[in-house]
Amino acid sequence: MPSENKNPKTNSGIYVAVFFLCVVLIIMLFFVKKDMILSNLKKNNFFERVGVSTPEFVQKHPEKAPVAPVVEEEYEFDLMGNKTTTTRINAAPQVESNNSSDEIVIEADNSIDQEILQAVKAAESVKTDKFERESPVSIKNDEEKNQKPVAVPSIRNTNLCFVTIDSDGKVNRKVIVRALPKSDSPLTDAIKALIAGPLPGEPNCMNLIPSGTKLIGASVKNGVATLNFNDSFEFNSYGVEGCIAQLMQIVYTATEFSTVKSVQFLIEGEKRDYLGTEGQWIGSPLSRTSF
């Protein structure tokens, strides 16, 4: 009989322990999932459905804003600069946090709202149009259109008088045509080109102007070209024939210009009567009839 009285007490103690354990588990579960539980209660109007008013702390519980999907874009380019776009839309993870624990629970949401997907496609279309307008090929074409053509320098065909020497030792004139860049002083350019001598592509002609000769200055007035040379112009190693040839080369080259009828020679800025030791006359302007 005494053993029968103890069994109900023991069983009731176990039931009480199990009851309290369940209550503790429910409380722990509530704190862990508090945000989700409160959100569901508020969203589904649970308290109003059971005939009571919704508690204030449930009404004030903030709802979570939807997380936009993550859009990944990949761009590929071919040799012509054309772009191929590949778009991947991944559901953004939702992060749930509670105030009673530092644990963060991450849940993946595989459902994508149709309106969000359409907005992403519209944004992608805008990006594609902008990229095509600003692509390297388009920029290159714009640069080619705006690029100014390179100015090609104008040239002038100029007659230069050189000489040839035949087997008898006679000096003859040989006029060649050379293309020189146009400038504001064509006479100066022509005399300097003559002093420099014939080019490799101009065979069978010679220059008897003394080596080291330099043109110091040139001017034209009333059909007379005044040419000022340095003192190297005064000494010709070919003798009197060489002096006559160098004067003839200068006069014939200068008078190829319509504004020049004769040439007055100066040596280091001074007028001399004779050129060198051979005594060739240069005291007055010389023309083509002087030779």
Side-chain angles (χ1 to χ4, degrees), residues 30-61:
F30 174 77
F31 281 107
V32 172
K33 298 292 184 177
K34 181 180 66 173
D35 291 339
M36 183 177 67
I37 293 172
L38 293 178
S39 297
N40 289 332
L41 290 175
K42 181 179 179 182
K43 182 177 180 180
N44 298 324
N45 296 324
F46 172 78
F47 292 98
E48 294 179 0
R49 290 183 179 183
V50 297
V52 296
S53 61
T54 304
E56 185 178 356
F57 71 93
V58 176
Q59 294 179 356
K60 294 183 177 181
H61 182 72

Side-chain angles (χ1 to χ4, degrees), residues 18-34 37:
V18 172
F19 174 76
F20 278 106
L21 180 60
C22 292
V23 172
V24 171
L25 291 176
I26 292 173
I27 293 173
M28 291 178 63
L29 180 62
F30 174 77
F31 281 107
V32 172
K33 298 292 184 177
K34 181 180 66 173
I37 293 172

